[in-house]
């Protein structure tokens, strides 16, 4: 039976606990998100605490006053009745046993006072250790089958050790099947040379009922008052919080682009003035945003139109520049140098025009994603091989740190190729000839590629703006360093199409780190990147099989000798002593 009861208790608890947890979570969420709920609940808790303190104080004072009143009455009546008993015993002229018993019985019954306001009961007991007189015929007597055990021992000892003093104590005595509170008042009386203890017990049941009724009235009144205070608090906070809640809803709609939303203004009080000011602010913001949007559209259209219009004349200029460049050996030194400058600047102009056209596609919202499963490690290897001449020109070594095997990612390989190419070229350009490390890592949902250089670096403010269009860390820097200022912006837009992350970290004099994070499958949300943004070292974090490949060593290639297909110049080996592989 005990095992069954334990199982039932455990089953009930397992079913009840989830409901309790859900209720607590709901209350906690309501507490955090609702000012009205928080205000009303706080008011109710404070009101309940206040009424509990005040109610306990009033109940205690009332109970104490009732008790003191009953005690004073009991002491006064006891003195009078004990004197009557002693006078009766002193004036008694009885010598036989039956007369003595009848006298004691009648005298004590008269003391019991069944018709008085406070019902009295008595306990009449001969004091112990009395040897004389031996012919006493009454040892003890009590009303309603009471015994001397209902008298507290402390009270008995005080009465026995005293002379004619009167003492009292609180007690409980049985009446039928219940125990009632009472006051026992004790004295000594003498009869026929025998000393007796006479205790009168006063019933406080009527006073207790009165106190219970008063407490019930206080409890009911307090509960009603708390409910009324809660209703008042709810009504007041509703009138105050409702406009604020309405303003919050309107603000959310404005933030979502619904610029025509306005607050409903009623009256002329502070809340109404707040609503009117809010509406005025919203109208001003709508006007400014509309102007900015119109201006932005005009600028985007202008860039797009100019870019398209420049393509035809630029193609003609490029063809002419190529003809002049190919025939530069026949020119005098000045014209030869002019032909080379013209050819290089036309190349730069064409690259800038291509970036402007790509930006215009993003602005027009016509850029689409053509995602297919692709091995991103192989793609990175291909990109590094493609930038080999640039790396050789800067004298930088490019190292790839990647896990064993392939990492298949659903992505647009053309756009990811452009992102990685931009990041690696940017690292080479600002790496001051120092090594560039490319790290790859993946977890269950995402893959990350980090491009780390050890060049001039950048501060936190520069890292926050590095993806802005046409932004340059040093505006006064010569245009021989840095591209059009659109490469990283296009990379950020390509990353946004993949719902990925493109982040930058830098430290002055210690280089920079750019981290690209993509989800392995389209539609999944990235929660954590496999690589940290602030690099602790070059290798992959954690343990496990990995490979370190030196894909590019800046050793020069002998003139006239081409590299083998699928390889790039190298002469060293990996950092861990193993041979590099391409």
């Amino acid at each position: 039976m005990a095992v069954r009861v334990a199982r039932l208790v455990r089953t009930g608890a397992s079913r009840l606990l989830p409901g309790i947890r859900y209720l607590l979570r709901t209350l906690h969420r309501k507490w955090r998100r609702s000012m009205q709920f928080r205000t009303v609940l706080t008011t109710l808790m404070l009101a309940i605490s206040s009424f509990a303190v005040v109610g306990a104080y009033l109940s205690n004072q009332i109970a104490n006053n009732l008790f003191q009143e009953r005690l004073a009455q009991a002491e006064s009546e006891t003195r009078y009745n004990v004197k009557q008993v002693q006078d009766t015993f002193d004036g008694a002229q009885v010598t036989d046993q039956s007369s003595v018993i009848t006298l004691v019985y009648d005298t004590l019954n008269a003391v019991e006072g069944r018709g008085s306001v406070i019902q009295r009961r008595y306990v009449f007991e001969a004091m112990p250790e009395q040897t004389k007189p031996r012919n006493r015929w009454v040892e003890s007597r009590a009303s309603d089958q009471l015994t001397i055990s209902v008298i507290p021992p402390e009270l008995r000892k005080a009465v026995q050790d005293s002379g004619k003093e009167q003492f009292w104590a609180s007690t409980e005595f049985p009446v039928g099947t219940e125990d009632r509170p009472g006051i026992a008042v004790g004295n000594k009386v003498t009869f026929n040379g025998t000393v007796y203890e006479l205790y009168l017990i006063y019933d406080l049941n009527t006073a207790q009922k009165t106190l219970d009724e008063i407490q019930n009235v206080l409890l009911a009144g307090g509960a009603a008052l708390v409910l009324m205070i809660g209703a008042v608090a709810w009504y007041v906070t509703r009138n105050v919080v409702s406009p604020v809640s309405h303003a919050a809803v309107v603000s959310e709609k404005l933030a979502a682009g619904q610029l025509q939303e306005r607050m409903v203004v009623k009256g002329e009080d502070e809340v109404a003035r707040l609503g009117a000011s809010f509406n005025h602010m919203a109208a001003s913001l709508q006007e400014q945003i509309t102007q900015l949007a119109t201006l932005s559209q005009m600028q985007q259209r202008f860039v797009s139109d100019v870019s398209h219009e420049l393509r035809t004349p630029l193609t003609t200029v490029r063809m002419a520049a190529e003809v002049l460049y190919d025939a530069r050996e026949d020119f005098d030194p000045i014209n030869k140098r002019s032909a080379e400058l013209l050819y290089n600047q036309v190349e730069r102009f064409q690259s800038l025009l291509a970036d402007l056209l790509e930006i215009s596609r993003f602005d027009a919202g016509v850029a689409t994603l053509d995602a297919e499963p692709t091995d991103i490690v192989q793609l990175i290897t291909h990109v590094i091989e493609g930038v080999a001449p640039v790396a050789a020109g800067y004298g930088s070594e490019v190292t790839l740190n990647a896990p064993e095997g392939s990492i298949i990612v659903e992505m647009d390989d053309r756009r990811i190729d452009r992102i990685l190419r931009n990041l690696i070229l940017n690292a080479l350009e600002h790496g001051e000839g120092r090594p560039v490390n490319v790290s790859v890592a993946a977890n269950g949902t995402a893959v990350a590629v980090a491009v780390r250089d050890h060049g001039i670096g950048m501060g936190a403010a520069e890292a926050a703006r590095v993806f802005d269009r046409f932004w340059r860390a040093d505006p006064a820097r010569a245009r021989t360093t840095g591209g059009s200022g659109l490469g990283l912006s296009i990379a950020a837009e390509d990353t946004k199409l993949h719902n990925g992350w493109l982040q930058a970290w830098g430290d002055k004099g210690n280089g920079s780190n750019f981290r690209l994070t993509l989800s392995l499958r389209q539609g999944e949300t990235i929660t954590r990147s496999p690589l940290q943004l602030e690099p602790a070292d070059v290798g992959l974090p954690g343990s496990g099989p990995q490979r370190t490949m030196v894909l590019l060593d800046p050793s020069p290639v002998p003139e006239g000798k081409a590299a083998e297909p699928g390889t790039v110049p190298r002469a060293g080996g990996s950092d861990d002593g193993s041979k590099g592989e391409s």
Side-chain angles (χ1 to χ4, degrees):
M1 181 63 70
V3 172
R4 290 181 179 179
V5 170
R7 288 177 180 175
L8 288 174
V9 171
R10 187 165 57 251
T11 303
S14 63
R15 294 180 179 178
L16 185 61
L17 286 177
I20 296 176
R21 293 194 191 99
Y22 175 77
L23 179 61
L24 291 177
R25 285 196 301 268
T26 302
L27 291 176
H28 185 256
R29 184 166 54 252
K30 193 74 172 176
W31 174 272
R32 288 188 293 105
R33 303 188 63 179
S34 176
M35 190 194 316
Q36 183 177 2
F37 177 79
R38 190 163 59 248
T39 303
V40 173
L41 186 60
T42 303
T43 304
L44 287 176
M45 295 302 295
L46 293 175
I48 291 173
S49 301
S50 302
F51 285 128
V53 172
V54 174
Y57 174 76
L58 291 177
S59 177
N60 182 68
Q61 290 297 316
I62 293 172
N64 186 58
N65 291 337
L66 285 174
F67 181 79
Q68 293 298 329
E69 180 184 353
R70 297 298 187 268
L71 176 61
Q73 188 175 358
E75 288 182 325
S76 175
E77 290 190 4
T78 299
R79 290 190 184 93
Y80 175 78
N81 285 281
V82 169
K83 183 177 182 303
Q84 292 292 328
V85 170
Q86 188 63 61
D87 290 345
T88 301
F89 286 165
D90 291 342
Q93 300 294 328
V94 291
T95 57
D96 59 290
Q97 181 179 0
S98 61
S99 300
V100 170
I101 293 173
T102 301
L103 174 66
V104 171
Y105 179 77
D106 293 341
T107 303
L108 293 178
N109 283 342
V111 169
E112 194 171 15
R114 296 184 178 274
S116 61
V117 176
I118 300 179
Q119 293 293 325
R120 290 187 299 270
R121 290 166 177 80
Y122 66 87
V123 174
F124 188 70
E125 182 80 13
M127 285 187 62
E129 299 179 1
Q130 292 188 87
T131 58
K132 294 180 180 181
R134 294 185 177 276
N135 60 345
R136 62 174 180 266
W137 293 296
V138 179
E139 289 288 339
S140 64
R141 193 168 189 85
S143 59
D144 290 344
Q145 300 180 351
L146 296 178
T147 62
I148 193 64
S149 61
V150 301
I151 306 301
E154 297 83 2
L155 178 60
R156 289 200 64 190
K157 188 175 186 310
V159 172
Q160 291 170 4
D161 295 343
S162 68
K164 294 296 183 179
E165 292 87 356
Q166 179 173 274
F167 298 92
W168 68 271
S170 297
T171 185
E172 285 187 349
F173 61 95
V175 177
T177 58
E178 63 175 344
D179 289 337
R180 292 185 180 182
I183 299 175
V185 184
N187 287 271
K188 285 182 181 178
V189 294
T190 304
F191 182 45
N192 284 345
T194 301
V195 180
Y196 291 89
E197 302 170 34
L198 177 59
Y199 299 96
L200 297 184
I201 302 174
Y202 293 84
D203 191 350
L204 296 182
N205 190 52
T206 303
Q208 184 63 45
K209 289 182 178 180
T210 302
L211 181 61
D212 292 341
E213 291 178 359
I214 293 174
Q215 290 177 342
N216 291 334
V217 170
L218 288 175
L219 182 61
L225 195 55
V226 166
L227 292 177
M228 287 188 291
I229 290 176
V232 171
W234 177 83
Y235 178 76
V236 173
T237 54
R238 180 176 179 272
N239 288 339
V240 175
V241 173
S242 292
V244 179
S245 301
H246 180 53
V249 173
V250 174
S251 300
E252 292 173 356
K253 292 182 177 180
L254 288 173
Q258 302 178 24
L259 302 178
Q260 72 282 355
E261 287 292 328
R262 296 292 183 272
M263 288 185 62
V264 178
V265 179
K266 295 180 180 179
E268 299 179 358
D269 55 9
E270 293 83 354
V271 177
R273 292 198 298 271
L274 174 63
S277 300
F278 183 90
N279 290 341
H280 179 70
M281 178 189 68
S284 178
L285 287 176
Q286 181 182 12
E287 182 180 357
Q288 295 181 18
I289 291 174
T290 302
Q291 292 177 356
L292 291 175
T294 303
L295 179 60
S296 176
Q297 291 176 358
M298 293 175 60
Q299 291 175 343
Q300 293 172 9
R301 190 179 302 112
F302 174 77
V303 171
S304 178
D305 293 344
V306 169
S307 301
H308 281 85
E309 292 297 329
L310 286 177
R311 292 181 65 181
T312 301
L314 181 60
T315 302
T316 304
V317 172
R318 181 182 180 182
M319 292 174 62
E322 289 177 350
V323 171
L324 294 175
Y325 184 77
D326 293 339
R328 67 186 183 281
E329 299 298 334
D330 300 331
F331 299 158
D332 58 81
I334 296 178
N335 289 330
K336 179 181 178 181
R337 180 57 179 165
S338 299
E340 292 174 349
L341 290 175
L342 176 63
Y343 179 81
N344 292 330
Q345 293 304 315
V346 168
E347 287 286 337
R348 188 184 182 94
F349 191 12
Q350 189 170 21
S351 176
L352 174 59
L353 185 60
D355 290 343
L356 287 174
L357 287 172
E358 189 65 23
I359 286 291
S360 66
R361 292 190 189 97
F362 284 118
D363 291 339
V366 296
T368 58
L369 190 67
D370 186 13
E372 292 182 355
T374 307
D375 182 5
I376 194 170
V377 178
Q378 183 179 357
L379 179 64
I380 296 170
T381 305
H382 174 72
V383 172
I384 295 177
E385 292 174 353
V387 300
V390 179
Y394 284 110
S396 295
E397 178 184 272
V398 180
T399 305
L400 173 62
N401 301 279
E404 293 284 354
S406 302
I407 302 177
I408 305 301
V409 184
E410 291 184 6
M411 62 183 182
D412 189 334
D413 55 351
R414 179 181 66 86
R415 296 184 183 277
I416 300 301
D417 180 283
R418 180 165 59 193
I419 295 173
L420 297 174
R421 191 177 302 275
N422 268 317
L423 295 181
I424 296 175
L425 288 175
N426 185 73
L428 291 171
E429 184 177 357
H430 300 90
E432 298 183 328
R434 296 170 184 166
V436 173
N437 307 106
V438 182
S439 302
V440 186
N443 55 25
T445 59
V447 62
V449 182
V451 179
R452 170 82 158 97
D453 68 76
H454 302 81
I456 58 176
M458 56 183 173
E462 296 169 342
R465 297 196 57 194
V466 73
F467 298 108
D468 293 348
R469 298 178 184 181
F470 301 106
W471 183 83
R472 297 171 67 88
D474 184 6
R477 192 173 60 207
R479 282 291 175 177
T480 55
T481 303
S484 64
L486 293 175
L488 291 179
S489 300
I490 294 175
E493 295 292 344
D494 285 333
T495 305
K496 190 183 299 182
L497 278 179
H498 286 81
N499 293 321
W501 300 346
L502 183 58
Q503 298 159 300
W505 168 90
D507 187 22
K508 289 288 188 180
N510 293 320
S512 304
N513 188 50
F514 286 80
R515 183 183 67 181
L516 171 66
T517 307
L518 302 172
S519 58
L520 294 177
R521 290 164 291 276
Q522 288 296 313
E524 293 185 351
T525 302
I526 303 173
T527 57
R528 185 177 62 87
S529 179
L531 291 175
Q532 62 184 21
L533 181 59
E534 182 176 349
D537 49 30
V538 174
L540 293 174
S543 60
Q546 68 179 62
R547 58 185 176 181
T548 302
M549 299 176 291
V550 179
L551 293 177
L552 183 66
D553 190 285
S555 301
V557 180
E559 188 174 353
K561 183 177 180 181
E564 297 179 3
T567 64
V568 293
R570 67 168 187 262
S574 64
D575 294 337
D576 58 2
S578 61
K579 291 184 179 181
E581 52 182 292
S582 60

